[in-house]
Amino acid sequence: MADKAASGEDWTPAHARLHGLLRSRPLLPPHQRLLIALSGGQDSLCLVKLLLDLRSRWQWQLAIAHCNHRWRTDADANAQQVKDLADQWQLDCWIQTAAEPPEGEAQARTWRYGVLAQVAAAQGFDVVVTGHTASDRAETLLYNLVRGSGADGLGALTWERLLSECPGSSPERRKTSVRLVRPLLGFTRSETAAFCQRFQLPIWEDATNQSRDYARNRLRLDVLPYLQQHLNPRVEAHLARTAELLQADVEYLETQAIALRQQIQSKQGLQRRHLHQAPLALQRRVIRQFLQQHLPQQPNGEQIDKLVALLAAPNRAQSDPLPGGRSPSLGRLALPRLGLFPVARADSGYDDTRSAQNYR
């Protein structure tokens, strides 16, 4: 098809794929305000270029956000290049710098998404868009698999989700739902690299991506290339497909668990007899959802399994202490209730995803 992108640039297969995806999957509806997370790496540069070229077709309003973790000596120069690119593209740009460098990927990820949520809510953006790819999805599946995650973690990198509430924002803003969208999950990292090369986009090379001190880098640099060479050249795409299938199952089970929990939950707790009769997959999810509502810290999978085992235990059996120092007695099960009593609402839920994924 000899079509052209709306901006006048060449209309590539990548443009056609993303345009077709967005027509079939309503991730980024017309007329929305999109805040693009731009690290300066190849994936996020590819994302910005594609959205710029498709902007007039979809009538989006675009802007850029960059998070400076202060991890590298060139971090400020990286941030300046992002700002220069935003000026070149005539896009508004917000750059946030960490007061102190985060301690590890998990803390960095929490800080980064908190910043993106705050900027989006404060500036009236509907969506935060990141450049995660099928390659990231494959890495996440393998990373969580070797850490013993369940289906939630294996399918964790989803096309979209809600960002958490913004700390410190007004009550009105806290009610605003900002979505996180990953429209490049159908592209591999090799494809985004080829796209950037075609349009001569100035990729900022992050030296930490080559360090084997990080487990994710070892997966990217060693494990996946080995699997591609010796088992399946398309292993990234196939693992990403597996994650997609698992996510569909997870969404269905979560819906069923919510419906069951709403039927058996009261102010005193959960009705033991009805929960005990449910399939094991729903027992775990109902208990996890219940604990998410009431515990001050995240319960882990081992704690959830211990509570599941107590469903069939004698009435006076007890679990190990849960986060917050609670050691719920199940002696009350004669009521019959699961003896878990509300405490302070959790700041965040059960981390079955176990993902410390960077945006790119």
Side-chain angles (χ1 to χ4, degrees):
M1 180 177 67
D3 198 356
K4 297 287 184 181
S7 65
E9 299 289 349
D10 291 339
W11 182 257
T12 69
H15 290 91
R17 282 171 58 189
L18 183 59
H19 184 60
L21 169 73
L22 296 178
R23 293 182 65 181
S24 62
R25 187 188 291 261
L27 296 171
L28 302 174
H31 306 290
Q32 289 203 317
R33 288 172 52 81
L34 311 182
L35 182 66
I36 307 168
L38 177 60
S39 68
Q42 66 182 50
D43 297 339
S44 57
L45 279 175
C46 174
L47 173 67
V48 174
K49 171 65 174 169
L50 286 170
L51 295 183
L52 279 168
D53 289 350
L54 294 176
R55 174 173 55 178
S56 62
R57 291 175 178 246
W58 292 85
Q59 299 300 305
W60 296 315
Q61 297 180 54
L62 306 179
I64 286 171
H66 175 81
C67 296
N68 181 353
H69 300 86
R70 296 177 55 196
W71 273 349
R72 311 185 319 269
T73 56
D74 64 349
D76 290 341
N78 184 180
Q80 184 59 52
Q81 176 167 297
V82 169
K83 180 65 168 62
D84 293 343
L85 287 171
D87 291 342
Q88 176 184 325
W89 293 323
Q90 299 182 353
L91 298 179
D92 290 335
C93 180
W94 286 269
I95 295 177
Q96 296 290 328
T97 303
E100 297 292 336
E103 297 180 2
E105 273 293 328
Q107 188 179 108
R109 181 179 182 274
T110 299
W111 173 75
R112 181 169 60 252
Y113 280 122
V115 166
L116 294 172
Q118 285 181 325
V119 172
Q123 303 299 327
F125 288 95
D126 307 294
V127 179
V128 170
V129 193
T130 66
H132 291 96
T133 65
S135 303
D136 296 308
R137 212 174 196 186
E139 289 172 12
T140 299
L141 186 149
L142 286 177
Y143 182 70
N144 289 338
L145 178 64
V146 298
R147 299 179 72 218
S149 178
D152 298 63
L154 300 182
L157 213 58
T158 59
W159 289 94
E160 63 178 323
R161 68 172 176 84
L162 289 178
L163 280 176
S164 56
E165 293 180 346
C166 307
S169 59
S170 67
E172 293 76 15
R173 279 297 183 193
R174 284 198 295 270
K175 295 176 183 178
T176 301
S177 295
V178 177
R179 292 187 303 125
L180 173 69
V181 173
R182 303 176 175 113
L184 297 189
L185 286 184
F187 294 76
T188 63
R189 191 171 294 125
S190 60
E191 290 174 319
T192 63
F195 184 90
C196 290
Q197 184 177 12
R198 171 166 183 161
F199 290 98
Q200 298 183 329
L201 301 178
I203 299 171
W204 190 275
E205 299 292 349
D206 183 345
T208 61
N209 286 336
Q210 302 303 315
S211 171
R212 286 176 169 81
D213 292 339
Y214 304 101
R216 280 191 172 274
N217 288 353
R218 294 194 294 273
L219 282 173
R220 180 183 310 120
L221 300 174
D222 300 324
V223 177
L224 279 168
Y226 181 89
L227 295 176
Q228 288 171 329
Q229 181 179 354
H230 296 285
L231 291 178
N232 188 334
R234 301 193 66 241
V235 65
E236 287 185 345
H238 289 173
L239 288 174
R241 173 62 177 164
T242 298
E244 182 84 357
L245 296 173
L246 286 169
Q247 181 57 31
D249 292 346
V250 165
E251 290 176 0
Y252 173 76
L253 288 171
E254 278 294 289
T255 300
Q256 295 300 306
I258 290 171
L260 176 60
R261 177 175 53 80
Q262 291 174 342
Q263 293 175 10
I264 67 174
Q265 183 173 345
S266 70
K267 292 181 179 179
Q268 287 74 35
L270 300 171
Q271 297 176 13
R272 175 190 184 185
R273 179 169 59 85
H274 290 91
L275 185 56
H276 189 212
Q277 293 171 349
L280 178 59
L282 293 184
Q283 291 177 8
R284 287 177 174 146
R285 290 179 180 278
V286 168
I287 289 177
R288 186 257 301 159
Q289 291 174 5
F290 183 83
L291 295 180
Q292 278 184 317
Q293 290 181 323
H294 301 301
L295 289 178
Q297 300 176 27
Q298 298 179 24
N300 59 40
E302 182 180 359
Q303 291 164 332
I304 290 173
D305 286 342
K306 286 181 178 180
L307 291 177
V308 169
L310 287 176
L311 291 174
N315 282 350
R316 293 297 173 182
Q318 288 189 333
S319 73
D320 290 343
L322 290 168
R326 296 283 177 148
S327 180
S329 170
L330 297 193
R332 293 176 57 88
L333 287 176
L335 291 180
R337 303 287 183 191
L338 177 61
L340 301 177
F341 301 102
V343 290
R345 181 179 176 86
D347 292 328
S348 59
Y350 166 44
D351 182 19
D352 188 37
T353 64
R354 303 183 182 182
S355 174
Q357 177 63 42
N358 249 327
Y359 72 78
R360 289 178 173 78

